[in-house]
Each structure stands twice: as structure tokens, then as C-alpha cells.
């Protein structure tokens, strides 16, 4: 049961949604109603259904929090690959906006052999729109090769004008790849494609398939314990925390996509015996391809919170022999005392607190067990760019009565917060300051609010500390929430 099911307020999430939709014109309300629902368990079912409509265009004029296909490719899949130069092909604005990435940590020397946080742009001007930018792109590639000779390759991340004027980036890529002897990947991720950044993930996966992976992928040096971590972007060091656990249980991580990742790791991923998928939404496409083409099975795992970490370690170990299974149990036992100490410190301070989530990728469902480990209750969750299979997977994570919202608008999120009155909101940078101005504690759950890691046992200690710091900060005693102000007036 969630707070919405109590008597002191809306009698149900359904009633709250109806009240919020009433502010829209009839046509807009009818469309948005399909995206807002409440998780309910049907008779005979084991888990609630979260069947919100998803992956369709946002309503023009209604503020959405989505990104574009360019953001999905440059900002998520390709951008963190550290030894390649990623060219933002188009006007300077998109490249500048994505300049520093999302704190995708990496080892190496920036500007020498690592290029994640560098902005390389073709800086399109009006004349390039009129006469085309293929020649300019070729010159840029030559200059980049001269400036960064230790790079292992390049990607061309197309911005909107490239698709509109029809530049042949594929021809340029082939010609220059032959000339400089390096991999050059053209990515048709123009921002206008699709309905959100999700298509950019798919397009980027397809370019890995078409321009990087080979049907005769190498197998020399492979072992029975090789795994690839797919869809971990090493935000705040997440992938390092995950890798340590996998290596402690006796597995060999031959590739991490794409946090702290090299081009060679992408090339050798098909040699793994198992692909471990953390962010299903962004990388399931290439994992399905590797299974079909290279025979590499894949599975989702969840390293948020000790409950799911232990369960995932056991599920991963079950794919290997008894020695790996025994080592997995030893790893779980090794960290048990540390996790008990974290829970003893923070659970009394956080137990019973309610949380609303609105994030992208895997987070709207995967972080829920970590909150529950701390005794917290997630009362609402939703995806910025989720698909139907994301919502289907969410059912096993949420409780009956949890409010589900897809591509929630600025108005809806604000109204839901005021009506649900959560103790904490976890969302993105665009929502952070508006929510804090309402007097509601907030954590930025896309890049961990400049903290991290949150994955693995190491990460859970940081996660618990950050949630306590957000909720129990004395600053909130100096502010009033909208409902407190209404009660006082």
C-alpha cells in the first residue's frame, strides 16, 4: 500500500491522475491518459502490471524532459569510448552542450590517448548548409589525425543539419579510414530521428554491428570465464566497482561498454562467454545481435543495493561451474559485514521515507531495491524514453499502487509531487532546481549529483550516504513545501 491509498488525501493513484488530467484540454488529456497509470496486480498474477503507453512522440508545446537521437549516440553509447575521437558534425551548439559528458570516468591522459571530455566539432556555418559539409568533414578528420595521432579511430556524430542537407558521411568515412588506416564510424544520429534519445542508442548499436564487429571475431586467448559488461557507463566509477566484484568471483572482464572502454574492447566482445547487460534499454540491440551471430548469450543484472547484488552474483555464477559459484558466495560473505554496518547507520534515518523517481535507461526500476534495502518506499516511477518491454520488466520491482508515468510533462511531475508529497525526488538535472525550490529534497539520478559510484557494494555505501544527506539536511527546515504553505495560509 502506498500513501495515496490512505484516507487522508486522494483515495487512489487513479483519482490523482484523473485530477491532474482535468487541467488539460480534452484532446491532450485523452492522449496523456494513456501514459499515466497505477501498478495493479490482476487476479492470478504474481506482479503488478505497469502498462503505460510509451515510445511515442511527445505532445508539441508540452514540456518534455527527453533528449534526442544525437544525445543517445554521442552522450551515451559512443561518447564514453575513451581512445576514439568523437566528432560532433554540425553546428557548435550540440557539441558544446555535450562537451563534458556525464562524468564517465576513464584512465589515461586527456588529449594524448584519451578524448572523452574533449569537444571536437565541424562548427557548421551557413555556407556549409548551402554548399555541403563533406569537404569540411574530410579536412577535420585530417586535422584530428594530426593533432591526436594516438587515437585508435573516430566517430562522426551527425547533428540535424547533416540529415537535412544529405551529406554523405559514409563515403567520407570509408575514404578517410583507408587513408589514415584507422576505424572511422559514421553515425546517422541526427536529433530529429525518432521520438527520443532511445533511437540514438539503437542507431549507435547498429553502427557497432556494421562498422566495428567482424563476423570472424578473434577467439585466440579466450577462456571459459570471459565476460563482457555491457551498458555500464562508469558514471562516478560505477563500472570499476562492478568489475571488481566480477573479477573477485573468478571471471575475466574482457570488455566494458562503454565506460572506460577502448575500441579494442568493443572489437573483442564477441570472444566473451556471457554478455552482462546493465542498461538494457541502451544496449539490448547489440547483445541480441551478438547472440544471433556469434552465439554469445546475454543476461540482465542489477548491482544496485546488497539484496540485488547478491542475487545477481548468484545468477551470474549459475552460468559457470561450481568453482565460480563458490567464489560468488565468498564475495557475498566478504562484504556482508560492511553492508550490515551501512544499514545500521542509515536505515534508522531513512526508514519509511517515500521516493518518487523519473529517470532514463534502467534506473526507474533497478534502483528501487536499493531504496528498499534502506527501508524507503518508492511511490512513483517512470521513464523518459522507455519502451513497452521496460514497463513490463518494471512490474517485478514495484509494489501494488505505485504510480507509473511515461514521458511525464513538467506540469504533471510538479502536480504529482504536490499531491504525493514524497520525502525525496530522484530525477535529472532539468528537474533538480525546480524541485528543490519547492522545498523537496532531490538527488540527480542521471549522473549521481557529482557523486558515485552507486553500483556494487562500494557504491551502496555512497548511495546510502547521499540519500541521507539529501533528506536529512538541515537546510530543508528553512524552507516550506507548497503543501505546508497552503496549510499555513
Amino acid at each position: 500500500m502506498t500513501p495515496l491509498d490512505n484516507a487522508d488525501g486522494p483515495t487512489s493513484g487513479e483519482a490523482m491522475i484523473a485530477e491532474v488530467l482535468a487541467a488539460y484540454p480534452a484532446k491532450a488529456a485523452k492522449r496523456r491518459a494513456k501514459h499515466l497509470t497505477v501498478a495493479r496486480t490482476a487476479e492470478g498474477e504474481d506482479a503488478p502490471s505497469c502498462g503505460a503507453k510509451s515510445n511515442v512522440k511527445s505532445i508539441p508545446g508540452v514540456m518534455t524532459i527527453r533528449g534526442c537521437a544525437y544525445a543517445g549516440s554521442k552522450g551515451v553509447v559512443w561518447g564514453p569510448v575513451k581512445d576514439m575521437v568523437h566528432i560532433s558534425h554540425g553546428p557548435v551548439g550540440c557539441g558544446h552542450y555535450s562537451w563534458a559528458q556525464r562524468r564517465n570516468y576513464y584512465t589515461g591522459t586527456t588529449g594524448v590517448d584519451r578524448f572523452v571530455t574533449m569537444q571536437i566539432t565541424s562548427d557548421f556555418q551557413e555556407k556549409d548548409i548551402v554548399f555541403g559539409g563533406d569537404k569540411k568533414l574530410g579536412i577535420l578528420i585530417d586535422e584530428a589525425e594530426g593533432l591526436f595521432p594516438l587515437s585508435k579511430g573516430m566517430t562522426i556524430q551527425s547533428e540535424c543539419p547533416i540529415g537535412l542537407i544529405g551529406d554523405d558521411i559514409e563515403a567520407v568515412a570509408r575514404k578517410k579510414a583507408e587513408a589514415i588506416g584507422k576505424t572511422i564510424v559514421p553515425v546517422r544520429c541526427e536529433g530529429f530521428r525518432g521520438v527520443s534519445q532511445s533511437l540514438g542508442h539503437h542507431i549507435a548499436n547498429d553502427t557497432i554491428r556494421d562498422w566495428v564487429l567482424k563476423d570472424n571475431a578473434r577467439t585466440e586467448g579466450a577462456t571459459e570465464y570471459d565476460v563482457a559488461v555491457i551498458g555500464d557507463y562508469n558514471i562516478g566509477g560505477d563500472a570499476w566497482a562492478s568489475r571488481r566484484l566480477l573479477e573477485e568471483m573468478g571471471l575475466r572482464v574482457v570488455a566494458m561498454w562503454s565506460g572506460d572502454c577502448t575500441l579494442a574492447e568493443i572489437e573483442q566482445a564477441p570472444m566473451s562467454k556471457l554478455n552482462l547487460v546493465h542498461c538494457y534499454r541502451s544496449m539490448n540491440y547489440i547483445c541480441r545481435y551478438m547472440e544471433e551471430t556469434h552465439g554469445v548469450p546475454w543476461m540482465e543484472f542489477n548491482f544496485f543495493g546488497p539484496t540485488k547484488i547478491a542475487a545477481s552474483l548468484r545468477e551470474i555464477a549459475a552460468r559457470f561451474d561450481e568453482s565460480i559459484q563458490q567464489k560468488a558466495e565468498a564475495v557475498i560473505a566478504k562484504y556482508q559485514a560492511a553492508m550490515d554496518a551501512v544499514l545500521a547507520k542509515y536505515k534508522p534515518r531513512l526508514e519509511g521515507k517515500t521516493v518518487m523517481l523519473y529517470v532514463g535507461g534502467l534506473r526507474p526500476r533497478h534502483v528501487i531495491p536499493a531504496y528498499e534495502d534502506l527501508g524507503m518506499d518508492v511511490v512513483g516511477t517512470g521513464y523518459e524514453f522507455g519502451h513497452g518491454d521496460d514497463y513490463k520488466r518494471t512490474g517485478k520491482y514495484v509494489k501494488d499502487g505505485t504510480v507509473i508515468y511515461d514521458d511525464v510533462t513538467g506540469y504533471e511531475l510538479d502536480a504529482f509531487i504536490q499531491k504525493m508529497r514524497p520525502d525525496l525526488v530522484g530525477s535529472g538535472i532539468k528537474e533538480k532546481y525546480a524541485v528543490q525550490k519547492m522545498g523537496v529534497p532531490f538527488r540527480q539520478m542521471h549522473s549521481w549529483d557529482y557523486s558515485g559510484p552507486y553500483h556494487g557494494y562500494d557504491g551502496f555505501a555512497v548511495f546510502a550516504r547521499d540519500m541521507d544527506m539529501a533528506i536529512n539536511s538541515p537546510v530543508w527546515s528553512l524552507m516550506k513545501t507548497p503543501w505546508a504553505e497552503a496549510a499555513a495560509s
Side-chain angles (χ1 to χ4, degrees), residues 6-29:
N6 295 333
D8 59 340
T11 56
S12 69
E14 289 88 352
M16 181 194 69
I17 290 172
E19 186 178 340
V20 170
L21 289 172
Y24 284 130
K27 186 176 180 180

Side-chain angles (χ1 to χ4, degrees), residues 55 66-80 155-158 185-209 233 258 279-286 385 387:
N55 197 36
R66 287 172 166 175
C68 65
Y70 166 86
S73 176
K74 169 71 161 58
V76 178
V77 176
W78 274 114
T155 69
I156 303 166
Q157 305 288 326
S158 292
V185 182
V187 191
R188 287 283 181 184
C189 57
E190 293 90 353
F192 59 75
R193 294 183 183 275
V195 302
S196 71
Q197 61 261 54
S198 180
L199 184 61
H201 305 150
H202 199 160
I203 291 169
N205 279 215
D206 287 350
T207 60
I208 293 172
R209 176 198 67 198
Y233 301 101
S258 50
C279 182
Y280 169 87
R281 181 70 277 133
S282 62
M283 287 287 194
N284 76 88
Y285 317 100
I286 195 67
F385 47 84
H387 295 208

